[in-house]
Amino acid sequence: QGIAHKTEAGAVALNLMTPGAVRKAAKAMPSGGGFLVEEMIGGAAVELLIGVVLDPAHGYVLTLAAGGGLSELLQDRAALLVPATRDQVDQALGGLKINRLLAGYRGAAAADRAAILDAVMALQAYVTQNRGRVAEVEINPLLCGPGGAVAADALIVTGE
């Protein structure tokens, strides 16, 4: 807890199946003020980054992008002004390179598009309801699979 970019700081460990494995991983990483142990979510077809940032010239801007480790690697993103409609968000997702994965690439199950859109709309609603108090919100990754969309990590920056 308390570390903004956990993977880069060595503060994320996956597939820990025993209490001993959890203790060993915790000893090897920076604490940042504490630890958060969560159930690992499997079965994601793709990881998305969804975020909103307050831009001085344009107001709130929504970013949809390849998430997780692919975020910087693929540079696959779309930007929309907030509030964007559900149809605009869906069209923006359709324009991403990773849309093929979302749709079920090579026989894989498609991600739950409605759940992804629900998550994006909820993020926009949060920012809109907290206008002036939120400078940035980023969910990365949003784990997207056939059973829904789950925010695995989120960062919220308050202030102007």
Side-chain angles (χ1 to χ4, degrees):
Q1 292 180 348
I3 300 172
H5 299 286
K6 294 166 197 61
T7 301
E8 290 82 355
V12 174
L14 304 174
N15 298 311
L16 305 176
M17 306 306 264
T18 67
V22 172
R23 279 191 294 277
K24 182 178 178 183
K27 287 180 184 176
M29 64 177 62
S31 74
F35 295 97
L36 179 61
V37 179
E38 298 177 315
E39 174 186 357
M40 189 162 154
I41 305 295
V46 68
E47 295 181 359
L48 285 177
L49 176 154
I50 60 173
V52 175
V53 65
L54 181 56
D55 179 79
H58 300 98
Y60 286 112
V61 178
L62 168 68
T63 299
L64 307 167
L70 295 178
S71 187
E72 292 86 15
L73 184 64
L74 292 182
Q75 296 295 310
D76 184 21
R77 67 190 66 218
L80 299 165
L81 293 177
V82 173
T85 67
R86 193 173 179 94
D87 286 341
Q88 289 171 322
V89 172
D90 194 34
Q91 288 177 10
L93 285 170
L96 296 176
K97 295 173 196 166
I98 59 168
N99 184 57
R100 292 174 69 188
L101 295 172
L102 292 171
Y105 185 68
R106 291 195 167 189
D112 183 343
R113 189 70 156 231
I116 295 167
L117 294 171
D118 289 346
V120 175
M121 300 313 287
L123 177 65
Q124 287 190 107
Y126 170 79
V127 169
T128 301
Q129 290 166 3
N130 291 281
R131 184 174 300 279
R133 294 189 302 260
V134 173
E136 177 182 359
V137 179
E138 181 179 289
I139 297 172
N140 186 20
L142 180 71
L143 301 174
C144 306
V150 177
D153 196 10
L155 172 70
I156 300 173
V157 178
T158 59
E160 290 297 321

